[in-house]
Amino acid sequence: MVRAIMLSPPGAGKGTHSEWLTLHTGAAHISAGDMLRAEVARGSDLGRQVAAYTERGDLVPDELIFRILAPAVVAAARHTGGYVLDGFPRTMPQALRAAQFGADLALTSNAVIYLTAPEEELVSRLLDRARRDGRTDDTLGVIRHRLAVFAKETAPLVDYYRGRGILLELSTDRPEAEVQADLLDWLSARGLMPPVAAESGPDHADRAGATLPRT
Ligand code: ADP
């Protein structure tokens, strides 16, 4: 079963491809951003602390992230046998702590999907999403800041996971079906797809189909 980390700058498609992967593997989708937004919407003290960071496009401190995410990851992995972590980890300290946590609980990640697209494409997708969904952090200034935070804090994770031999780099500047076909091939070759999907042949991307309009 797949235990995947989706590593991607804002706008490269981690929401879309996480949902697709969840649909085709049965592994639980855990979106750090969605969980944080739910906490903010709840209006709790924790939510107010979180909002102070997310509104500016800054990362939420590691302690808060672990407090919110860790129980969900453990429960989801127990329930489905796998996970698709969308938006976590995003810093080297988070990655190292997650690796320790994974080793302790026999939940070590076996795939890291690194999605890329040219910066101007990322910005234009996020501005489109702003028009569609009205997310408060999808304004031009905050988008630029989130991209800078990605380059500084999250990009170093690419080499870390490449060194562990579990990284797949995929350009998303092309049709979603092509990205999904490459993803499916790579996961199948590693024995990480459930048997039915792995045997579904060359037209699997068409049949897999679900193209969800999210970034
Ligand atoms: P995007 O990738 O488009 O920025 P997300 O929904 O994944 O969107 O994240 C939204 C915001 O939530 C981030 O800008 C950040 O403030 C916060 N966030 C999400 N994941 C993390 C994380 N792992 N560590 C710290 N902050 C996070």
Side-chain angles (χ1 to χ4, degrees):
M1 177 60 100
V2 71
R3 293 187 298 277
I5 291 170
M6 306 301 282
L7 198 59
S8 137
K14 68 180 160 12
T16 301
H17 294 293
S18 296
E19 287 182 18
W20 181 87
L21 203 49
T22 300
L23 201 62
H24 294 281
T25 61
H29 178 194
I30 298 164
S31 162
D34 285 352
M35 290 192 73
L36 293 173
R37 281 183 287 277
E39 197 61 49
V40 172
R42 217 169 277 139
S44 62
D45 274 354
L46 186 57
R48 273 188 288 278
Q49 290 178 55
V50 165
Y53 296 95
T54 55
E55 278 167 9
R56 291 195 305 264
D58 283 328
L59 294 180
V60 172
D62 295 348
E63 277 315 308
L64 296 188
I65 283 290
F66 274 88
R67 205 188 312 163
I68 293 171
L69 283 190
V73 178
V74 174
R78 292 261 151 76
H79 190 62
T80 68
Y83 54 74
V84 178
L85 278 181
D86 165 356
F88 173 86
R90 279 196 208 224
T91 64
M92 273 311 291
Q94 286 182 13
L96 296 174
R97 194 161 152 193
Q100 185 60 54
F101 190 74
D104 290 347
L105 298 177
L107 295 175
T108 301
S109 307
N110 50 24
V112 177
I113 315 301
Y114 173 41
L115 304 174
T116 67
E119 177 147 340
E120 286 320 304
E121 173 65 22
L122 299 175
V123 173
S124 118
R125 287 183 194 173
L126 292 168
L127 291 175
D128 279 350
R129 182 172 72 186
R131 281 187 280 274
R132 227 173 33 235
D133 302 348
R135 232 176 86 171
T136 53
D137 57 348
D138 281 342
T139 58
L140 189 57
V142 177
I143 289 169
R144 294 266 181 225
H145 183 61
R146 278 153 59 210
L147 289 168
V149 168
F150 176 86
K152 180 164 182 275
E153 303 287 348
T154 312
L157 274 61
V158 172
D159 278 346
Y160 167 67
Y161 288 119
R162 207 192 305 274
R164 281 180 43 188
I166 55 171
L167 188 97
L168 171 67
E169 179 168 343
L170 286 176
S171 162
T172 63
D173 195 17
R174 54 195 176 126
E176 264 173 39
E178 280 181 30
V179 180
Q180 288 161 353
D182 285 355
L183 185 51
L184 194 52
D185 285 346
W186 187 82
L187 292 170
S188 300
R190 294 178 159 237
L192 297 176
M193 289 302 289
V196 174
E199 285 163 12
S200 66
D203 61 341
H204 46 59
D206 291 341
R207 272 190 281 140
T211 50
L212 301 163
R214 287 193 46 202
T215 51

